[in-house]
Amino acid sequence: MEKATPPPDGVYVPVPTFFKSFDKYGYKQPLDLVAQAEHTLLLARNGITGLVLCGSTGESVHMTQEERIQLISTQKKELVDNGFDKVVLMAGTASQNVDETLKTIADSKAAGADYALVLTPSYFASAGGYSEEGLRSWYVAVANDSLLPVLVYNYPAVTNNLQLSLSLMKQLATHPNIVGCKLSHGNMSHHLIISSSPEIDHSGFRVYTGLGQQLLPLLLSGPGAAGAIDGSAAYFPKTLLRIFALARKITTAGGGVTAEDWKEVHALQCAYSEAEEWVVKFGTVGIKEGVNQMLGISVGLDGGRLPFCETHVRKEFDRYRPAFEAVQEFERKL
């Protein structure tokens, strides 16, 4: 098996899934594909590299398989019909068993996805049931038969605090159908090591941070650093894209970098990081509220599907509003 091609470096948005209101439809709100398309095209017009559909932010665990595929296929069509066929689509796979993961990947490819973002299995993690060898074998089994190139998704906050070891990540990076990883945790040492280690062929294994707060330090860290897959970019895409562009200039332009470049990228990263504290605290429902507040795109009165309930989040937003408005000012100027 030849090494699969990694996704392009850049900024990806793990988009929320838009549902119609609980007040009208009860616990089984249908997808709001009109709002979804409005958001998809807004991001595409602002230059986003790609989208993650049916990931953690997308509430894939609250959706049926049919809804996941409908979401991917409709958003792919919207992109193609509006001239954005180069926008990359990653499909999330939140499953505990190999066969179901492979079925989700196959269905996602048929619907138009380009890559699979494969969340670590974790049901027995807190009970000490998983060894490094078991996790390696699980990912290898998926990658061997996956119809899409695989990115390892390491998100301890939703996987019983399971943190994949550096030795395991180095092993997985050698698989020809594993082309990168999303690291959704605050351990910058792991980001740096995985993006810099001489044991990894960085041309075939790219490292994305799951927190835009960490984009600048990641891109300064090593040759494997590829970008971000970040929730706040759902409403602040231009700011994170500008941070990416400036960081790339700093790491590739040598003497062409100016003091003004450093000043701008530090100001943008600081403001963006302050606003992202909202996401750190409130996660998916926080991102949905941010979309509602900053873009005016309706997410329904309740934001997500049960057991999500957004009422408590909306009450908290005013405390974070100044941080949001600071980044919004950058967005207006970019």
Side-chain angles (χ1 to χ4, degrees), residues 142-188:
V142 169
N144 281 347
D145 291 336
S146 174
L147 297 182
L148 291 174
V150 167
L151 287 89
V152 176
Y153 185 13
N154 187 8
Y155 188 6
V158 300
T159 56
N160 271 320
N161 293 315
L162 180 60
Q163 171 72 276
L164 300 183
S165 70
L166 290 171
S167 61
L168 176 55
M169 294 299 293
K170 290 175 183 178
Q171 291 176 58
L172 294 177
T174 66
H175 193 285
N177 205 30
I178 296 179
V179 295
C181 62
K182 177 186 178 184
L183 304 180
S184 292
H185 56 68
N187 190 333
M188 279 307 299

Side-chain angles (χ1 to χ4, degrees), residues 46 235-243 246 260 263-275 294 322-334:
N46 279 289
Y235 37 84
F236 292 142
K238 291 186 286 186
T239 302
L240 201 60
L241 283 164
R242 180 62 177 164
I243 293 170
L246 287 167
E260 285 302 310
K263 182 179 179 181
E264 181 183 359
V265 77
H266 284 151
L268 290 171
Q269 184 67 81
C270 181
Y272 195 92
S273 296
E274 290 257 19
M294 295 295 103
F324 271 73
E325 290 177 347
V327 184
Q328 186 78 330
E329 187 60 28
F330 285 122
E331 287 281 308
R332 292 191 187 102
K333 295 176 181 177
L334 289 170

Side-chain angles (χ1 to χ4, degrees), residues 29-47:
Q29 315 104 293
L31 301 175
D32 188 343
L33 295 174
V34 174
Q36 194 82 47
E38 181 183 358
H39 188 238
T40 291
L41 294 177
L42 181 150
L43 295 174
R45 292 185 184 109
N46 279 289

Side-chain angles (χ1 to χ4, degrees), residues 183-186 209-215 228-230 276 279-280:
L183 304 180
S184 292
H185 56 68
T209 179
L211 294 168
Q213 291 175 314
Q214 299 171 337
L215 180 57
I229 302 173
D230 173 66
E276 194 149 76
V279 178
V280 171

Side-chain angles (χ1 to χ4, degrees), residues 11 59 72 86-87 117 146 150 185 215 221 282:
V11 173
E59 294 182 70
I72 295 169
K86 300 300 184 185
V87 173
L117 186 63
S146 174
V150 167
H185 56 68
L215 180 57
S221 69
F282 293 112

Side-chain angles (χ1 to χ4, degrees), residues 76-138:
K76 179 71 171 184
K77 185 176 188 302
E78 290 287 346
L79 290 167
V80 172
D81 288 352
N82 286 276
F84 297 110
D85 54 300
K86 300 300 184 185
V87 173
V88 177
L89 291 185
M90 296 182 186
T93 67
S95 176
Q96 300 293 310
N97 72 74
V98 173
D99 283 337
E100 187 174 72
T101 301
L102 290 171
K103 176 67 162 55
T104 297
I105 292 172
D107 289 348
S108 298
K109 180 182 180 180
D114 303 295
Y115 292 90
L117 186 63
V118 179
L119 186 67
T120 305
S122 59
Y123 187 87
F124 293 107
S126 64
Y130 297 136
S131 65
E132 184 167 307
E133 178 61 22
L135 291 167
R136 186 195 70 79
S137 297
W138 188 92

